[in-house]
């Protein structure tokens, strides 16, 4: 990573910042169709955010003017690259300094104070559904089986409040990992997409580790952890044809016990986990092979094409044909 190049980009004043610096009035730098006002609240949807990356959007917050109360329909991460700022979340004041990270749940109402010359705030918008499935395909299913256990910002982190702050003065600083993601996002090269995924995965695991240390009671019992790993392994190996009865028999447990155990530990049913693994594999085949979509549907274990289309859209918010067309277009660019 070229740190100087990244700093140069982030500290350079944008056209909007130059205007805000003169007038000190907030300017929305988004097309009109991407936001609306609901009862005076600025609400932003995903129509213009996830074109570059289907699950991640990164943007520098414009300086020199206060941002009014607003909310996104997806998880937001505010990372203080340098300097400091103050945010108000549902009426509560939060001060951030260099290296601090603020997680905001979807729909959280917050406002941001005016930023000075040296205050660089980076916003990450995360499309939770897409990132879960995409990372699953990269990690052969390991994460999604226990997503709610090892990636707490998707669940536990918002259990008591609609936000969570990770302070930079705690162990396990995230700065280098996040800076790598920002750099690859703004200066894409060959394998940038893969590097971003790897760093995101690392970041999620680090947040999970810190949360686990802060909440030791939330860790799995040793027996449960072993059983969950065994179930994970079986689903990864045999997701195309695996049944609940088969996995219960192999692990020497009652079928109902395994079913309830999976639901309690992951928040999902056995069928949901199998389908997540299947559509993740299908997504990879659609993007990187010439098999027809009908063939891929059968290859990953779906007996019904209609059911496959339904599950695929549930997890990616679009049909398989969209990814096939997008992959073809990207190939032609090379």
């Amino acid at each position: 990573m070229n740190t100087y190049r990244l700093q140069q980009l982030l500290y350079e004043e944008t056209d909007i910042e130059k205007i805000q610096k003169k007038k000190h009035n907030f300017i929305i730098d988004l097309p009109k169709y991407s936001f609306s006002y609901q009862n005076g609240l600025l609400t932003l949807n995903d129509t213009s955010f996830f074109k570059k990356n289907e699950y991640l959007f990164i943007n520098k917050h414009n300086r020199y003017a206060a941002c009014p109360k607003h909310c996104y329909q997806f998880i937001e991460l505010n990372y203080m690259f340098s300097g400091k700022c103050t945010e108000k979340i549902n009426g509560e004041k939060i001060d951030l300094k260099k290296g601090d990270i603020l997680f905001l749940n979807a729909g959280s109402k917050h406002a941001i104070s005016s930023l000075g010359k040296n205050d660089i705030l980076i916003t990450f918008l995360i499309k939770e559904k897409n990132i879960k499935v995409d990372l699953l395909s990269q990690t052969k299913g390991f994460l999604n089986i226990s997503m709610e256990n090892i990636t707490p910002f998707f669940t536990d982190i918002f259990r008591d409040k609609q936000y969570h702050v990770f302070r930079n003065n705690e162990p396990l600083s995230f700065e280098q990992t996040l800076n790598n993601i920002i750099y690859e996002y703004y200066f894409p090269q060959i394998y940038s997409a893969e590097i971003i995924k790897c760093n995101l995965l690392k970041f999620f695991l680090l947040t999970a580790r810190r949360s686990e240390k802060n909440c030791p009671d939330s860790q799995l019992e040793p027996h449960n952890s072993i059983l969950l790993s065994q179930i994970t392994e079986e689903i990864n190996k045999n997701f195309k044809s695996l049944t609940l009865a088969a996995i219960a028999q192999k692990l020497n447990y009652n079928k109902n016990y395994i079913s309830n155990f999976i639901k309690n530990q992951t928040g999902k049913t056995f069928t949901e986990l199998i389908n997540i693994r299947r559509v993740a594999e299908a997504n990879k085949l659609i993007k990187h092979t010439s098999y027809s979509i009908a063939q891929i549907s059968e290859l990953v274990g779906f007996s019904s094409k209609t059911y496959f289309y339904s599950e695929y859209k549930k997890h990616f918010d679009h049909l398989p044909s969209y990814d096939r067309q997008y992959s073809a277009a990207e190939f032609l660019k090379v």
Side-chain angles (χ1 to χ4, degrees):
M1 180 183 70
N2 187 328
T3 303
Y4 174 77
R5 188 183 184 192
L6 179 60
Q7 290 177 338
Q8 190 176 38
L9 171 73
L10 297 179
Y11 282 105
E12 182 179 359
E13 291 184 353
T14 65
D15 291 338
I16 287 180
E17 285 179 324
K18 291 175 182 177
I19 298 173
Q20 291 189 165
K21 191 175 183 179
K22 289 181 179 179
K23 299 184 177 181
H24 299 287
N25 291 328
F26 174 74
I27 299 173
I28 300 177
D29 58 342
L30 296 169
K32 290 183 178 179
Y33 59 80
S34 65
F35 64 89
S36 62
Y37 284 94
Q38 301 176 11
N39 298 321
L41 177 68
L42 178 62
T43 303
L44 301 104
N45 55 50
D46 66 357
T47 54
S48 62
F49 295 112
F50 300 101
K51 293 179 180 179
K52 185 174 182 178
N53 187 298
E54 64 183 346
Y55 54 76
L56 178 67
F57 173 80
I58 299 176
N59 188 52
K60 183 187 81 168
H61 184 78
N62 288 317
R63 294 166 287 179
Y64 310 121
C67 178
K69 186 188 294 185
H70 62 284
C71 72
Y72 293 99
Q73 300 308 308
F74 17 78
I75 290 174
E76 178 180 357
L77 183 159
N78 286 339
Y79 164 53
M80 208 71 222
F81 180 85
S82 68
K84 60 184 180 180
C85 82
T86 299
E87 297 202 30
K88 274 193 175 182
I89 309 166
N90 299 327
E92 187 172 351
K93 183 179 175 182
I94 304 294
D95 293 319
L96 300 176
K97 58 180 177 49
K98 183 180 183 299
D100 286 347
I101 299 167
L102 170 66
F103 282 113
L104 293 157
N105 204 358
S108 296
K109 302 172 185 177
H110 67 293
I112 304 173
S113 64
S114 179
L115 302 178
K117 179 181 178 180
N118 297 318
D119 303 327
I120 304 297
L121 180 66
I122 306 297
T123 296
F124 291 67
L125 301 181
I126 300 170
K127 212 168 187 178
E128 178 184 350
K129 184 189 296 184
N130 286 9
I131 202 168
K132 281 187 180 184
V133 176
D134 194 72
L135 284 179
L136 171 62
S137 68
Q138 300 300 313
T139 56
K140 297 183 179 179
F142 170 73
L143 281 182
N144 212 287
I145 293 295
S146 53
M147 181 67 75
E148 280 73 14
N149 294 314
I150 68 171
T151 313
F153 73 86
F154 283 133
T155 50
D156 292 343
I157 208 168
F158 299 131
R159 181 172 294 169
D160 300 319
K161 290 185 176 181
Q162 288 297 294
Y163 71 88
H164 188 90
V165 181
F166 285 104
R167 297 294 182 184
N168 191 39
N169 57 2
E170 299 176 15
L172 297 173
S173 173
F174 305 125
E175 286 187 270
Q176 185 62 41
T177 303
L178 291 178
N179 289 349
N180 283 335
I181 294 171
I182 296 168
Y183 184 83
E184 295 294 339
Y185 187 89
Y186 280 119
F187 304 109
Q189 307 170 62
I190 185 171
Y191 303 128
S192 281
E194 287 73 17
I195 292 172
I196 288 174
K197 288 175 185 176
C198 289
N199 276 280
L200 277 173
L201 178 57
K202 177 183 176 182
F203 173 69
F204 296 158
L205 291 172
L206 287 174
T207 60
R209 178 189 290 176
R210 180 180 288 184
S211 295
E212 290 278 332
K213 287 183 176 181
N214 292 337
C215 305
D217 292 339
S218 68
Q219 297 182 21
L220 291 174
E221 292 295 325
H223 168 74
N224 290 352
S225 181
I226 293 171
L227 179 57
L228 191 60
S229 296
Q230 292 173 327
I231 293 171
T232 300
E233 184 178 359
E234 285 302 312
I235 289 179
N236 289 336
K237 286 182 180 179
N238 305 305
F239 63 89
K240 297 176 184 179
S241 58
L242 188 65
T243 64
L244 182 62
I247 194 172
Q249 182 177 6
K250 181 163 187 177
L251 298 177
N252 295 316
Y253 283 93
N254 177 275
K255 184 172 73 171
N256 291 333
Y257 176 83
I258 288 293
S259 176
N260 292 331
F261 175 83
I262 290 173
K263 180 67 175 178
N264 291 335
Q265 297 298 330
T266 71
K268 292 179 173 60
T269 66
F270 171 78
T271 300
E272 286 173 329
L273 293 179
I274 287 289
N275 285 341
I276 288 171
R277 185 67 183 90
R278 286 174 176 173
V279 297
E281 183 70 15
N283 178 261
K284 184 169 64 177
L285 293 174
I286 287 168
K287 290 180 176 178
H288 302 293
T289 74
S290 59
Y291 291 125
S292 70
I293 293 176
Q295 288 175 312
I296 290 172
S297 172
E298 293 182 7
L299 284 171
V300 299
F302 285 98
S303 58
S304 166
K305 186 176 177 182
T306 301
Y307 184 43
F308 166 65
Y309 271 73
S310 173
E311 287 297 305
Y312 197 95
K313 187 173 183 180
K314 180 193 298 183
H315 293 287
F316 289 103
D317 290 331
H318 54 249
L319 294 174
S321 55
Y322 174 87
D323 284 324
R324 174 53 57 85
Q325 292 169 1
Y326 179 79
S327 298
E330 288 299 304
F331 176 78
L332 292 174
K333 288 180 184 177
V334 177

